[in-house]
Amino acid sequence: MAAEIHANRFRLLTEQVGRKFVAGVEDFGYGAALLVESVFWLLAGRWRQQRVRLSAIVQEMMDIGVQAIPVVTILAFANGAMMAMQGIYTLRDFGAESQVVSGIAMSVTREFGVLIAGIVVAGRSGSAIAARIGTMQMAQEIDALRVMGVSPVRYLVSPILAAMLLMMPILSVLSDAMAILGGGVISVMELHINLDTYTTRVFSELVPGDIFQGLIKSVVFAVLITLVATGNGFNASGGAEGLGRATTRSVVLCIAAIVVADMVFTFFLSR
Amino acid sequence: MNTTPPDTSSQPVIEVNNLVTYYGDQKILDDVSLSVAPGEIMVIMGGSGSGKSTLLRYLLGLHRADAGDIRLFGKNIDTLSSHEWMEIRKKIGVSFQGGALFNSMTVGENVRMPLREHTSLDENTIKIMSRMKLEVVNLAGYEHLMPAQLSGGMIKRAALARAIVMDPGILFFDEPSAGLDPVVAADLDNLILRIRDAMPVSIVVVTHELQSAFKIADRITVLDRGRILMVGSVEEVRHSDNPRIRNLLTRTSEDEPVDVDGYLQRLTEGAMRF
């Protein structure tokens, strides 16, 4: 009997692992198909008489990008200031606190600027997009679009993708600038240098590759947030509770996806 | 009941041949065949779980059939290219059960949306056309309201205005009277009849409301547990002696035969697993 119970448990466990794996592969395939289709509509919609409307893209750019500016500004500034404080404290033991400037310049442009922008966009828009599309799914609005001959991907996903691809790099550059400024304010106070010297040193340390690394990541984050948020919205089911679940899942997966992708890209881009 | 008989001599606008569909392992529709003539009002009637809403979703092309085929305007919808499908979809209008109006748009924008997406008409023409359709459904003057500000009956009428704005050849209704009081439901039935008299359109109505079905139908298809019990005129359905149809008409529930083994198996299934 004990052996049978053991075998049964093992079978259930492997079954669960198998199912999760298949679901993961399905999600990945779904995301890839969504990406291909939304890019297709962006590029070829005009020739198929199904243009992606510029007004929709501008609206999404406002929601996703412009309205995120205050939060990104505050978070990036605070993050830059914290990095400067911690850097100066740590490097003081070695008498190398002035090196904090190059540390901030590099880590912000390569890493933290874009990550902060990504997390803010994932938190704000990742939930909002999933909730909006999920509500439409449940109210049969997505079906209504399809039977009207309007592709839901073209109408809902393509404008978001375009807006994300345009706004994420802009937000990352803003985030870089604000974090460097935050670090600068602390450096001026602690290291007794003036802001001009700080700025000159920052720019002498940076090479275009550093900024470029952040920009590449911002584009990848834009795609990931779009696919995860819209995918979760389209697959929402189960009433108000299901919508809440889809929204939470969207935010958590968006942030997880961008952090993991960040690690992978840093690994390859830092070689 | 309608007074002008439909033209059944010409090619049907909807043809369903031996449609079989599954949900997972469960068979939902079994060997369903029907046809709808131009100008005809076909009511698909059945109780809960009869498969009528599923049939509608397949007719709208929202799912692919597991077997059999569906033809709209003579074209098999499973073999259409996406472009051909889009052309067909411009010629069908759908009024969903809950209206499915876009909540972020006003009533007017909802009605104008198909015209904006599918035509290159200028904004003024689009406005005039959408207002004409809002007049038809008695919603003139409500175009600036949001769907959340409308009553149940008004939502259905606004959805109807959106469904007919492209002058479709086929109009589908999913449970038009669901959630409405009897007077508003009767008004909607009259509106459906008026639209058919005013436009050359075939109408498919999915409903479980007998009164509504008998009032508007030219022919009724009775679905039960995924199979067609009968297709006939209102009188034929009324006088059918099929016990299941009689149960539906007299609102009598059926006594299910008890399957003892099946019952025990359902109770104990999974309970012995760890």
Side-chain angles (χ1 to χ4, degrees):
Chain A
M1 186 67 182
E4 193 187 329
I5 292 171
H6 190 73
N8 224 340
R9 275 190 184 147
F10 181 72
R11 190 172 59 80
L12 283 179
L13 183 73
T14 45
E15 193 178 309
Q16 264 179 4
V17 171
R19 279 184 200 286
K20 290 270 179 203
F21 181 75
V22 171
V25 172
E26 271 176 9
D27 281 351
F28 188 80
Y30 182 81
L34 208 54
L35 178 63
V36 170
E37 197 180 334
S38 47
V39 171
F40 168 79
W41 287 119
L42 277 175
L43 299 177
R46 181 180 290 270
W47 287 280
R48 302 287 291 265
Q49 279 92 45
Q50 292 232 23
R51 213 147 38 95
V52 178
R53 291 183 181 277
L54 191 61
S55 57
I57 297 177
V58 171
Q59 180 62 47
E60 295 295 345
M61 283 169 72
M62 292 297 291
D63 290 347
I64 292 164
V66 176
Q67 288 180 17
I69 287 176
V71 193
V72 169
T73 305
I74 295 168
L75 287 195
F77 185 90
N79 194 268
M82 282 186 294
M83 282 172 66
M85 290 180 222
Q86 295 285 10
I88 291 168
Y89 174 77
T90 320
L91 293 171
R92 187 163 281 158
D93 290 348
F94 307 100
E97 59 263 46
S98 62
Q99 292 306 314
V100 79
V101 179
S102 59
I104 290 174
M106 298 248 254
S107 53
V108 160
T109 49
R110 295 161 77 113
E111 200 67 58
F112 292 109
V114 64
L115 197 59
I116 288 168
I119 287 174
V120 169
V121 172
R124 284 183 78 257
S125 305
S127 55
I129 291 167
R132 173 155 49 105
I133 296 182
T135 312
M136 292 182 76
Q137 177 72 45
M138 286 176 195
Q140 287 192 301
E141 291 177 36
I142 305 284
D143 286 340
L145 280 175
R146 287 171 67 192
V147 298
M148 269 183 213
V150 175
S151 157
V153 174
R154 193 263 300 177
Y155 192 76
L156 295 169
V157 184
S158 295
I160 294 175
L161 182 68
M164 283 272 186
L165 287 173
L166 291 167
M167 290 314 287
M168 268 306 294
I170 295 174
L171 284 177
S172 326
V173 170
L174 172 78
S175 178
D176 288 350
M178 286 301 135
I180 288 171
L181 181 67
V185 170
I186 298 297
S187 302
V188 167
M189 281 162 32
E190 295 281 327
L191 300 178
H192 309 296
I193 53 173
N194 64 32
L195 206 54
D196 275 351
T197 321
Y198 172 81
T199 316
T200 315
R201 283 203 45 202
V202 164
F203 282 109
S204 66
E205 295 288 348
L206 285 180
V207 291
D210 296 328
I211 310 232
F212 200 58
Q213 201 179 115
L215 290 180
I216 291 176
K217 284 178 183 172
S218 73
V219 170
V220 175
F221 293 178
V223 172
L224 285 174
I225 296 171
T226 307
L227 297 182
V228 172
T230 53
N232 273 294
F234 281 125
N235 290 310
S237 61
E241 195 192 339
L243 187 63
R245 231 183 359 251
T247 313
T248 312
R249 190 169 182 265
S250 169
V251 177
V252 173
L253 281 183
C254 278
I255 293 177
I258 60 178
V259 171
V260 171
D262 192 10
M263 185 190 71
V264 173
F265 270 78
T266 305
F267 180 79
F268 287 110
L269 294 174
S270 306
R271 311 234 107 195
Chain B
M1 198 172 55
N2 184 39
T3 46
T4 47
D7 174 16
T8 46
S9 56
S10 50
Q11 197 197 19
V13 286
I14 303 177
E15 234 184 317
V16 180
N17 298 313
N18 311 104
L19 179 69
V20 180
T21 71
Y22 287 85
Y23 184 76
D25 293 333
Q26 199 183 351
K27 199 183 244 185
I28 305 293
L29 293 176
D30 187 7
D31 201 23
V32 169
S33 301
L34 60 95
S35 69
V36 179
E40 183 179 30
I41 298 184
M42 166 68 88
V43 172
I44 298 171
M45 201 169 80
S48 294
S50 57
K52 59 187 190 304
S53 296
T54 306
L55 175 57
L56 179 67
R57 292 184 68 80
Y58 278 85
L59 289 177
L60 297 177
L62 294 172
H63 304 291
R64 249 169 203 275
D66 291 293
D69 62 69
I70 298 171
R71 288 170 185 277
L72 298 182
F73 303 106
K75 289 183 175 160
N76 184 344
I77 63 173
D78 274 342
T79 57
L80 292 179
S81 69
S82 59
H83 183 69
E84 287 173 313
W85 231 138
M86 208 179 79
E87 291 306 313
I88 295 246
R89 281 187 159 143
K90 287 181 194 171
K91 294 195 276 181
I92 64 177
V94 187
S95 169
F96 284 94
Q97 189 172 349
L101 293 177
F102 301 113
N103 272 314
S104 55
M105 300 179 186
T106 64
V107 170
E109 285 168 342
N110 262 288
V111 177
R112 290 194 284 272
M113 188 180 157
L115 293 171
R116 282 223 177 100
E117 292 295 326
H118 293 309
T119 68
S120 47
L121 296 170
D122 64 277
E123 195 56 23
N124 283 333
T125 314
I126 287 179
K127 265 195 183 144
I128 292 169
M129 286 178 75
S130 69
R131 282 176 191 158
M132 279 164 63
K133 301 301 178 185
L134 282 169
E135 290 278 353
V136 172
V137 300
N138 300 327
L139 275 182
Y142 289 92
E143 62 179 310
H144 299 301
L145 293 187
M146 299 301 281
Q149 296 170 292
L150 301 184
S151 70
M154 288 159 92
I155 286 179
K156 300 243 179 182
R157 282 185 281 146
L160 176 53
R162 185 177 67 182
I164 58 173
V165 77
M166 295 278 289
D167 293 328
I170 311 173
L171 193 52
F172 292 94
F173 283 90
D174 190 7
E175 300 279 5
S177 350
L180 300 181
D181 69 61
V183 178
V184 178
D187 278 349
L188 202 62
D189 289 342
N190 289 331
L191 190 55
I192 292 172
L193 289 173
R194 274 217 320 269
I195 285 170
R196 198 275 302 272
D197 291 341
M199 299 164 59
V201 61
S202 305
I203 299 179
V204 176
V205 182
V206 167
T207 186
H208 65 273
E209 292 281 339
L210 296 171
Q211 233 180 342
S212 169
F214 288 155
K215 183 173 174 183
I216 59 178
D218 291 319
R219 284 191 304 152
I220 298 179
T221 299
V222 186
L223 264 184
D224 183 63
R225 296 175 204 188
R227 296 185 74 97
I228 287 184
L229 286 185
M230 78 174 290
V231 181
S233 68
V234 172
E235 286 311 306
E236 284 166 351
V237 172
R238 255 195 231 272
H239 298 118
S240 162
D241 49 10
N242 182 315
R244 284 190 190 282
I245 296 178
R246 296 259 34 109
N247 280 341
L248 196 67
L249 298 185
T250 55
R251 303 177 180 213
T252 314
S253 66
E254 284 167 39
D255 289 330
E256 295 278 337
V258 178
D259 171 10
V260 180
D261 289 340
Y263 174 68
L264 276 177
Q265 198 190 349
R266 285 197 298 278
L267 285 188
T268 54
E269 192 182 8
M272 300 303 284
R273 298 203 328 189
F274 294 91

